[in-house]
């Protein structure tokens, strides 16, 4: 990207980070002392590390939350967005400078994703528990299928373009708007965004700044709405931030890449099972209580 566009994007990321930190501090003021847990920190380390390498964090974090019973189902969507914001911002700071993307395409797709997330968060934060469980179950099933497609290497290969225009840009904006909205239910943007970018004929590497930039800007907006409604587990949020930010730096600057096929199949199994249990839970009438106060 041109130097001015890069500086503008980095300044925006810095403002987004400051906004998120202020929002978190305000949310924690009326709450009792928030103490991080070893389990939560461990979840942050594992999910943020592999997220940086391209696995995605939302599906794996949801599976670990349910396996360890650390976060209630109704709080998972908000907790995912609030907890992974700072690790994702760290990724965005790194990858938007390493991979070239045409500025208009990048900025327009980011704005579309933010708009989708703002709309989605306002809706999902008021859903009853059973609807959240059902929505997350369907999204995780889709995430498992997408991860399986990645492991089988059957996703579109993409092209060499670093930007799109005209009709393709319109498709990119609508697609990223929908993906931003789905982020608030608990489906990660990474895999679907990479597929979208490849289908449009762009270089798959361009998906990294697009998806990380989109998430970096939309997650502070979405999590702010969840925080205002009290639909976030603050202890899990703080724990994941503590473990996640250093894990991003290790993955990006030290490890850089790993053979991930076997790990993807493990993720498919775990996420598919979690999707099944969420769908089963959504059929239990005893938990049908409003999600918002």
């Amino acid at each position: 990207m041109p130097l001015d566009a890069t500086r503008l994007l980095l300044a925006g990321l810095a403002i987004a980070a400051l906004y998120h930190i202020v929002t978190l501090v305000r949310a924690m003021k009326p709450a009792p002392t928030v103490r991080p847990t070893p389990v939560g920190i461990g979840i942050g380390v594992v999910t943020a590390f592999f997220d940086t390498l391209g696995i995605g964090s939302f599906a794996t974090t949801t599976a670990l939350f349910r396996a360890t019973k650390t976060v209630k189902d109704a709080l998972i969507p908000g907790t995912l967005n609030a907890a992974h914001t700072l690790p994702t911002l760290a990724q965005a700071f790194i990858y938007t400078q390493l991979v070239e993307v045409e500025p208009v395409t990048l900025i327009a797709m980011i704005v579309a994703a933010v708009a989708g997330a703002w709309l989605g968060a306002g809706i999902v934060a008021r859903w009853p528990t059973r609807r959240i469980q059902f929505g997350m179950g369907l999204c995780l099933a889709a995430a498992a299928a997408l991860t399986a497609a990645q492991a089988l290497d059957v996703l579109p290969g993409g092209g060499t373009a670093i930007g799109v225009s005209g009709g393709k840009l319109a498709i990119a904006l609508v697609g990223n708007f929908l993906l931003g909205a789905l982020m608030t239910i608990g489906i990660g943007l990474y895999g679907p965004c990479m597929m979208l970018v490849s289908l449009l004929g762009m270089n798959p590497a361009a998906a990294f700044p697009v998806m990380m930039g989109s998430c970096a800007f939309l997650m502070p907006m979405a999590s702010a709405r969840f925080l205002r409604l009290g639909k976030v587990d603050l202890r899990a949020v703080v724990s994941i931030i503590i473990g996640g930010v250093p894990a991003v730096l290790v993955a990006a600057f030290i490890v850089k890449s790993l053979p991930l096929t076997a790990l993807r199949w493990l993720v498919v199994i775990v996420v598919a099972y979690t999707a099944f249990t969420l769908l089963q839970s959504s059929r239990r009438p005893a938990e049908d209580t409003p999600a918002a106060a």
Side-chain angles (χ1 to χ4, degrees):
M1 286 190 297
L3 185 59
D4 289 345
T6 301
R7 287 176 176 172
L8 180 64
L9 183 60
L10 293 177
L13 291 172
I15 293 170
L18 180 61
Y19 172 77
H20 183 63
I21 291 169
V22 170
T23 305
L24 271 178
V25 170
R26 286 179 176 173
M28 288 190 287
K29 275 186 178 180
T33 303
V34 178
R35 299 183 183 278
T37 66
V39 171
I41 293 173
I43 290 173
V45 169
V46 172
T47 57
F49 178 85
F50 288 110
D51 185 48
T52 309
L53 299 179
I55 288 291
S57 60
F58 274 26
T60 50
T61 305
T62 300
L64 290 171
F65 279 163
R66 298 204 93 227
T68 57
K69 298 181 179 178
T70 51
V71 177
K72 295 179 180 179
D73 288 344
L75 302 182
I76 288 178
T79 303
L80 290 173
N81 281 276
H84 283 291
T85 294
L86 289 180
T88 301
L89 279 161
Q91 294 174 26
F93 270 109
I94 296 166
Y95 285 98
T96 51
Q97 298 179 77
L98 295 179
V99 182
E100 185 178 6
V101 183
E102 194 272 320
V104 172
T105 300
L106 177 61
I107 295 171
M109 290 184 73
I110 288 174
V111 171
V114 171
W118 180 256
L119 176 65
I123 296 171
V124 174
R126 293 176 170 84
W127 277 3
T129 300
R130 287 176 66 195
R131 188 176 297 175
I132 290 175
Q133 290 170 329
F134 184 73
M136 285 195 301
L138 291 180
C139 288
L140 286 180
L146 184 58
T147 305
Q150 289 177 319
L152 292 169
D153 199 23
V154 297
L155 293 180
T160 58
I162 60 171
V164 290
S165 59
K168 285 187 175 181
L169 180 59
I171 294 171
L173 298 184
V174 172
N176 234 33
F177 176 89
L178 295 174
L179 294 180
L182 288 173
M183 281 276 292
T184 62
I185 306 176
I187 184 170
L189 183 140
Y190 283 18
C193 183
M194 186 169 289
M195 178 182 290
L196 174 64
V197 165
S198 298
L199 286 170
L200 292 171
M202 292 176 62
N203 184 344
F208 279 85
V210 170
M211 61 195 183
M212 290 173 178
S214 297
C215 292
F217 283 103
L218 75 85
M219 290 169 75
M221 302 297 116
S223 59
R225 303 197 77 171
F226 284 112
L227 285 163
R228 279 198 292 270
L229 290 170
K231 302 310 298 176
V232 170
D233 187 314
L234 290 172
R235 184 172 61 175
V237 170
V238 173
S239 299
I240 287 178
I241 290 172
I242 291 172
V245 173
V248 168
L249 301 179
V250 171
F253 292 118
I254 299 176
V255 178
K256 297 182 180 180
S257 65
L258 285 174
L260 298 175
T261 301
L263 179 62
R264 283 196 172 104
W265 283 116
L266 176 61
V267 170
V268 168
I269 295 169
V270 172
V271 170
Y273 174 75
T274 305
F276 174 77
T277 60
L278 277 165
L279 291 172
Q280 287 291 100
S281 296
S282 72
R283 300 173 61 186
R284 298 172 188 166
E287 292 191 33
D288 192 13
T289 56

